[in-house]
Amino acid sequence: MNALDDYKGQEPAWCPGCGNYAILQALKGALAGLGIKPHGVTIVSGIGQAAKLPHYMKCNTFNGLHGRALPPATGIRLANHKMPVIVVSGDGDCYGEGGNHLIHAIRRNIDVTLLVHDNQIYGLTKGQASPTTTQGVITKTQPFGANASALNPIAFAIGLDCSFVARGYAADAVFLKAIMEEAINHKGFAFVDILQPCVTFNKLNTYKWYTERVYRLDDSYNPYDRVGAFKLAVELADKIPTGIIYVNDKPTFEQRISILKEVPLVRQGFSMKSTLKELDRFY
């Protein structure tokens, strides 16, 4: 039996040719490659085409509000820091509605893996400009072209000193799987922006467009060099690096909480007597 079948959920309802299919397969492959069983991982999502991914997998899942995947993921991780927690989001869901939560998840360095399906458009709500839409692109709600400059997620994350920053490409599924494995294994907040062509609503950033520009970083690149990583993040649009772009080894949020040093909260006993004793300290 194929190990990927262990993760098989509902039948996907994405458009034929959507980059999300490759991301789904890469994630299944990464989990199988790491030996993580379906009951041993929790995947959290918000709202959007990307956020449907947990429905198409067999594992622990939590489907929350638009842009609000990171807060419950943080709570889940703190309750059981022995279980990997993965957040799946889209560029609109994460960088638009959820941008404030992204800032503070990076700042806290909670040990969660964030996979952002970045198709540079709102897919579920039918083609409005997202925070990563190229300035000037005409959409259904921007008939004169998107007026704002596009967000650079990689430069944004490096600027906040995120402990793991990477970029993947849906059409390079083998490399994407390897990136996901590194992200899941990383101790700290791991952020992966995944270039994901939308074949229905984004007629600019197509598979052909990306393939002419995307390249893999090789072993000569040093991801621990923050200044070098930031320079790489702002390269011209005709050169798009993929791979692990920036890494640091600062302590995680969980490591800074003394009560989590022994066993996960979910495994700790509850005592009303000790709880009342702690409350008495504040009154």
Side-chain angles (χ1 to χ4, degrees), residues 210-275:
Y210 279 123
T211 301
E212 291 173 348
R213 292 164 174 79
V214 165
Y215 69 95
R216 294 182 180 185
L217 293 171
D218 59 30
D219 292 339
S220 66
Y221 176 73
N222 177 19
Y224 286 89
D225 177 1
R226 188 181 180 192
V227 173
F230 195 84
K231 288 180 179 178
L232 190 69
V234 295
E235 279 194 354
L236 298 176
D238 61 346
K239 293 176 64 180
I240 305 176
T242 59
I244 300 170
I245 296 173
Y246 177 62
V247 180
N248 66 58
D249 298 320
K250 61 186 177 182
T252 68
F253 190 64
E254 298 92 313
Q255 289 172 333
R256 300 194 302 271
I257 300 177
S258 59
I259 197 172
L260 299 181
K261 289 182 179 178
E262 299 299 326
V263 294
L265 284 179
V266 72
R267 303 293 182 198
Q268 295 183 23
F270 175 77
S271 167
M272 181 59 75
K273 183 178 179 180
S274 61
T275 301

Side-chain angles (χ1 to χ4, degrees), residues 33-45:
L34 293 171
I36 299 173
K37 300 296 184 182
H39 68 272
V41 62
T42 298
I43 299 183
V44 182
S45 69

